[in-house]
Amino acid sequence: MLKIAVLVSGGGTNLQAIIDAIDADVITNAEIKVVISNNQNAYALQRAAQHGIEQLCISPKDYPDRAAFNQEFLKRLNSYQVDLVVLAGFLVVIPPEMIAQYRNRIINIHPSLIPSFCGTGYYGLKVHEGVLSRGVKVTGATVHFVDEGTDTGPIILQKAVAVEQDDTPELLQRRVMEQAEWKLLPEAINLIANEKITVVDGKVRIR
Ligand code: GRF
């Protein structure tokens, strides 16, 4: 049974997609042990509570410096003894020591086709604003392993989504969520939970 921690900062629609996929056996051999947020007002925490999943709120704001936060954050995460960490709209930088300890066991959902519209400054609506500003006709979402860079780890899955003529950033964000994010993240977790994923020379192979 794959034990999962889901890290969130906002509305939690990706968390909800994971919860629903486990309930529907779209994801098998997996359970969410804890939902962790830096934002005590994140609706994602209410989604966890509604589903009887343990929640933890821990924020850099409550620590004298980032090193103190990073140390406590890793200690608290380790206490849950999870196999996989899922970043679902988590807006806090993952400590390098956590990435090293959980090598190829942290995944992230990014709302574009990496390497386009990703990296520093590209998060949330800013991604879709960039897509519309450039005038690309296809965007999408990417699930990838997290490494020391920003959106630079090995790519697990991607799904393309059409950009429509009169899209606003909000309309496009919703379509990318509905058509790509909410499908890709559960699919990636299910593949990992059923030992279908390996990383060879920095590239993901799916059995
Ligand atoms: C999603 O757009 C995701 O791509 C990005 O952050 C947002 C999180 O949304 N990483 P939610 O909290 O899952 O609704």
Side-chain angles (χ1 to χ4, degrees), residues 125 128-129 131-132 139 161-179 181-182:
L125 276 179
H128 307 292
E129 288 165 1
V131 164
L132 295 174
T139 186
V161 174
V163 180
E164 305 295 352
Q165 195 79 23
D166 299 318
D167 267 341
T168 63
E170 292 76 10
L171 282 172
L172 183 55
Q173 179 179 55
R174 183 75 189 185
R175 187 177 315 115
V176 169
M177 282 177 155
E178 287 175 347
Q179 295 185 7
E181 296 179 41
W182 300 344

Side-chain angles (χ1 to χ4, degrees), residues 1-14:
M1 180 69 77
L2 188 80
K3 297 190 290 295
I4 302 169
V6 183
L7 279 45
V8 297
S9 296
T13 63
N14 278 284

Side-chain angles (χ1 to χ4, degrees), residues 25-194:
D25 283 336
V26 170
I27 296 175
T28 58
N29 293 327
E31 63 173 325
I32 303 173
K33 294 294 284 184
V34 62
V35 172
I36 302 174
S37 182
N38 62 304
N39 171 11
Q40 65 182 7
N41 299 315
Y43 188 65
L45 290 174
Q46 293 190 44
R47 293 181 191 270
Q50 286 161 12
H51 219 78
I53 300 169
E54 185 168 348
Q55 310 111 62
L56 168 66
C57 192
I58 181 170
S59 171
K61 288 187 293 196
D62 299 328
Y63 292 84
D65 55 48
R66 183 52 63 105
F69 166 77
N70 286 351
Q71 185 178 13
E72 184 65 14
F73 183 24
L74 183 53
K75 180 180 167 199
R76 298 296 296 276
L77 175 66
N78 286 343
S79 72
Y80 293 99
Q81 296 185 312
V82 298
D83 306 298
L84 181 69
V85 178
V86 178
L87 309 185
F90 191 59
L91 296 178
V92 173
V93 174
I94 302 299
E97 51 270 39
M98 187 179 291
I99 292 169
Q101 189 174 324
Y102 288 81
R103 182 71 57 193
N104 290 333
R105 293 198 294 141
I106 305 174
I107 65 174
N108 181 50
I109 177 81
H110 182 76
S112 76
L113 295 176
I114 289 174
S116 297
F117 307 105
C118 66
T120 305
Y122 279 112
Y123 58 90
L125 276 179
K126 293 178 186 297
V127 174
H128 307 292
E129 288 165 1
V131 164
L132 295 174
S133 170
R134 181 62 184 83
V136 297
K137 302 307 178 187
V138 176
T139 186
T142 303
V143 182
H144 63 94
F145 285 112
V146 172
D147 66 7
E148 284 73 5
T150 303
D151 304 327
T152 54
I155 291 172
I156 302 169
L157 294 171
Q158 295 189 296
K159 188 169 183 356
V161 174
V163 180
E164 305 295 352
Q165 195 79 23
D166 299 318
D167 267 341
T168 63
E170 292 76 10
L171 282 172
L172 183 55
Q173 179 179 55
R174 183 75 189 185
R175 187 177 315 115
V176 169
M177 282 177 155
E178 287 175 347
Q179 295 185 7
E181 296 179 41
W182 300 344
K183 298 180 187 302
L184 285 184
L185 199 49
E187 182 181 350
I189 292 169
N190 188 56
L191 288 170
I192 294 167
N194 292 285

